[in-house]
Amino acid sequence: MISPDLSRTLNALALLVISGILTAAFIDQIANFDLPCPLCLLQRVGFVAVGFGLCLNLVYGPRPQHYGIMIVSAIIGGSASVRQILLHIVPGTGSYGEPFLGLHFYTWAALAFFCITLGAAVMLILERQVSDPARMPVGLAGRPLAKLAIAVILLVSAGNAVSALLECGPGVCADNPTGYELLDEAEEEVDRMEQAQ
Amino acid sequence: MIALLFVLLTLSMVLLLFQRSMPAYLVFGVAMLLNVYWLNFHITNALALNL
């Protein structure tokens, strides 16, 4: 059995791990120009949604419904990654992106969503942390690790919003993106204006 | 427009910081509904992918 304080610390660490996963994908996107496909973006959304459940645990204390939100988010995010694995599971059907440590990012994502689901279920089994939610202190006062974890996930999530907007524009994301649509459009517009002058 | 999902999820977490749990749940719920819509959209047009 674990105490509510230990549970909150574990949730903060888990949120930092989620942010780390998203940051690694972001760095790969920028450094290697490995643009995320729509299914890749939806997996990132799944990680951020899991982060929402973790934030709930950090702000309001651990409760079963917060872990439920994490599990539902992990299942939805995991659906996107499993779908992408199945698209490429037949030999000769190619892959998307470069592998990392022998596995593609969508395979790592599926494993991560499985671990998140398992972790949330284990935390639900350790019931003492959620036995008396009414007496749980609300807020982040005196919890620097929780503040840091929430600040990082907010930054990463906002960064992904900007990146996805630049890549897809206001419409539907291309299945195989080759560039940042909004930036390319802006560049074309500048070229047109220069030619017109 | 997947960027909107990130915006909504970021907003829901900001609302949590200000302890506005009901609006946060509402925004999160809208985000998840849109997430399922886009998931369904993108997993059912697989033939457009260059395999």
Side-chain angles (χ1 to χ4, degrees):
Chain A
M1 299 302 141
I2 59 173
S3 67
D5 279 341
L6 177 59
S7 171
R8 272 182 156 163
T9 304
L10 290 175
N11 275 281
L13 291 173
L15 192 53
L16 285 172
V17 170
I18 297 285
S19 302
I21 291 171
L22 289 166
T23 305
F26 215 25
I27 288 171
D28 178 66
Q29 175 186 337
I30 293 166
N32 301 327
F33 203 67
D34 196 3
L35 290 177
C37 60
L39 287 175
C40 312
L41 285 172
L42 289 171
Q43 288 159 47
R44 293 187 189 185
V45 169
F47 281 119
V48 178
V50 169
F52 177 79
L54 290 166
C55 285
L56 278 167
N57 274 339
L58 292 178
V59 175
Y60 292 100
R63 294 181 194 172
Q65 59 263 42
H66 303 164
Y67 288 115
I69 283 174
M70 284 171 58
I71 291 172
V72 169
S73 302
I75 287 173
I76 293 174
S79 304
S81 52
V82 168
R83 171 61 173 164
Q84 200 166 4
I85 291 170
L86 292 177
L87 277 174
H88 303 296
I89 201 166
V90 176
T93 52
S95 59
Y96 192 88
E98 294 299 316
F100 174 72
L101 297 177
L103 296 176
H104 285 89
F105 276 178
Y106 42 85
T107 311
W108 282 117
L111 290 171
F113 283 123
F114 176 79
C115 290
I116 289 165
T117 309
L118 189 65
V122 168
M123 291 297 273
L124 279 170
I125 292 168
L126 304 171
E127 86 282 359
R128 210 182 81 183
Q129 55 169 335
V130 293
S131 58
D132 195 3
R135 292 174 60 188
M136 208 76 71
V138 174
L140 297 171
R143 298 178 196 281
L145 187 63
K147 284 178 187 170
L148 173 72
I150 292 179
V152 173
I153 191 76
L154 281 175
L155 202 63
V156 173
S157 181
N160 270 292
V162 174
S163 162
L165 184 64
L166 288 176
E167 184 188 325
C168 306
V172 177
C173 293
D175 287 328
N176 288 288
T178 53
Y180 292 96
E181 195 176 304
L182 273 191
L183 292 181
D184 292 345
E185 279 179 14
E187 205 172 322
E188 285 171 16
E189 189 64 32
V190 169
D191 287 345
R192 264 197 299 271
M193 285 168 67
E194 281 176 354
Q195 284 172 358
Q197 283 176 351
Chain B
M1 194 181 174
I2 296 177
L4 181 63
L5 300 179
F6 287 111
V7 171
L8 289 174
L9 287 172
T10 307
L11 177 64
S12 65
M13 287 189 281
V14 169
L15 286 167
L16 276 186
L17 276 181
F18 291 99
Q19 295 176 25
R20 305 277 182 194
S21 63
M22 282 317 290
Y25 275 120
L26 189 69
V27 174
F28 179 78
V30 172
M32 292 316 281
L33 285 176
L34 288 173
N35 189 10
V36 171
Y37 169 79
W38 282 118
L39 183 63
N40 179 58
F41 181 89
H42 284 293
I43 66 173
T44 51
N45 70 340
L47 291 177
L49 289 168
N50 294 328
L51 295 177

